[in-house]
Amino acid sequence: MNLPSSGRPVTTLLQAVSVTTTGVLPAFLLGALAVQIRDDLDLGPAQMGIAAATLFAVSGTLARPLGGVVQRVGAGRGMVFSAILATVALAGAGAAPSFPVLVAALFIGGLANAMAQPSANLGISRSIGSNRLGLAFGVKQSSIPMASLLGGLAVPGIALVLGWRYAFFFGAGLALCLAVWAFFRGQAPLTTTTTAGHPEDRGTPRAGLVVLTIGAGLAAAAATSLGVFLVDSMVQSGIEPSTAGFIFAAAAVVGLSIRILLGALMDKMPTRSPYVLIANLLVAGVVGYLMLSVGSTALMVTGTLLAYSAGWTWPGLLHFAVVRDNRQAAASATGVVQTGLSLGAAGGPLLFGLLVSATSYSTAWVVAGVVALAAAITFRIGRRMIRRARGVSVFTLRRPFSNPVKETS
């Protein structure tokens, strides 16, 4: 049985990228504009970490139940709801006169992000064929570096010219346009008759999924701290704010490109394990975090590019791997993983900000590297658990399936 399709896979993919970008945009604008926001609202690193953590904590707490809601109402409606919430969050953050109001706006942003990922994943699962699924998720997960890119460009392009609040207002306008687009395009809900078994669905063993979720949380804790605190860290080390913004944007472009490339490679190598690749990328990213800890301009630039290009290019691979094995229940399955991703993204900046306040950026980047290394080990463990549950030798690196759709975990 074929998956139901909207018949407009390109449009669905564009909307998926847009909704996931606006879902996380409040947090990454917060990170990119940290210097200006801190000066205006008189905030410290710990408070900035709390604000960013609020969005991801709400998203992580509600990702699973809202993923179930999206599974019932459909991807199109989920995108509309997410975009409306993102509009309110961005406008509220831009108008925030104080720290409590800023946190309240990020709380609403967490609701938007909790609906954005399951909606985008369900839309892709229904519209994209298996031979292009990896590329689709590589493109879709470019939303995170896209949010970083927009945040980085907002520093010299908007914040230093008009003020940091206008960057949030422009973001709110974009989110509102997306809500109108998704509303008029529409998409039918996934009915119970279409959620029956699919020949590609192997399902992900529950225990293995839990371990993968833990690994995702650890990896996200390190990576999201990068997005929230990188600009402020560079400025504190002596780099000009506008230069730091451009470096931030350049790293986002590199990360965006590599995410798409990795997705395309997964389509070309269907028997390779995405979980092994995720673990290897995280290990390479550790080197980037250690370079950031040194504090010199040259090493910070190199470390930024390495941390982005390796330590933060794995989310598309993770979503691809889970959706590949759970095509019909894509929103529900990825809602579970998104819980780990969002809670890690919440705890990471919070603890990172507290650690910076208590010690220094140098120490905090070293700790982020250690957390990324722990995530790599956890993904390896999760992969072994999944293979054992399927009766596959944990020492087998590749299995020659006659059907290229069935890939090794």
Side-chain angles (χ1 to χ4, degrees), residues 228-256:
V228 174
F229 289 99
L230 179 61
V231 171
D232 192 50
S233 176
M234 287 191 285
V235 171
Q236 294 297 323
S237 70
I239 299 175
E240 290 296 320
S242 59
T243 303
F246 281 121
I247 294 172
F248 191 67
V253 171
V254 173
L256 185 155

Side-chain angles (χ1 to χ4, degrees), residues 50-94:
I50 292 171
T54 299
L55 183 147
F56 293 110
V58 172
S59 179
T61 303
L62 298 178
R64 184 174 181 180
L66 290 183
V69 171
V70 171
Q71 190 72 44
R72 291 192 299 272
V73 305
R77 292 176 184 172
M79 290 182 187
V80 173
F81 296 149
S82 175
I84 291 174
L85 290 167
T87 301
V88 175
L90 288 161

